[in-house]
Amino acid sequence: MTLIKKEEHCPDCGVGIGEVHWPECDVARCLHNGLALDSCSELGGCGPDVWSGYWHGARECEEYGFLLVFPDMNRLYQEAVWDRDAQRWVIRAKE
């Protein structure tokens, strides 16, 4: 059972599921590093980010048990790394 609510439209740019975020959208993510597109160093060369209905990282937070009342993105960024090929956050390998 999922606790994360799917949203039909991006809360910032308003695109629907399956549509590409607008370039100035604060929700859009860099496909190379998984972080905010507006802080991307690739200068638009990372490809189009498509709205899935979920905030980036929210489903991974739920999968890994990183939930408070909402997805704990800080913990996700500390304990996981962005997998470019899978286009999702994965738990870091233990060193």
Side-chain angles (χ1 to χ4, degrees):
M1 181 178 133
T2 184
L3 301 173
I4 306 298
K5 181 183 173 215
K6 190 171 191 174
E7 298 180 38
E8 291 298 316
H9 295 93
C10 170
D12 188 53
C13 69
V15 298
I17 294 171
E19 296 179 331
V20 175
H21 289 280
W22 294 357
E24 63 276 1
C25 179
D26 290 334
V27 176
R29 296 290 155 191
C30 170
L31 303 182
H32 284 286
N33 64 24
L35 301 175
L37 186 60
D38 62 4
S39 64
C40 176
S41 62
E42 299 293 319
L43 301 174
C46 59
D49 183 27
V50 175
W51 176 243
S52 67
Y54 299 97
W55 285 80
H56 281 279
R59 289 182 291 176
E60 290 95 327
C61 283
E62 182 174 57
E63 178 182 342
Y64 304 141
F66 300 166
L67 295 173
L68 302 170
V69 175
F70 49 86
D72 187 351
M73 300 304 286
N74 290 327
R75 184 171 177 193
L76 181 70
Y77 296 156
Q78 290 174 358
E79 297 187 27
V81 294
W82 179 251
D83 183 326
R84 286 186 198 176
D85 295 327
Q87 291 295 294
R88 63 177 311 219
W89 293 93
V90 295
I91 296 293
R92 292 179 192 274
K94 300 289 182 192
E95 295 179 10

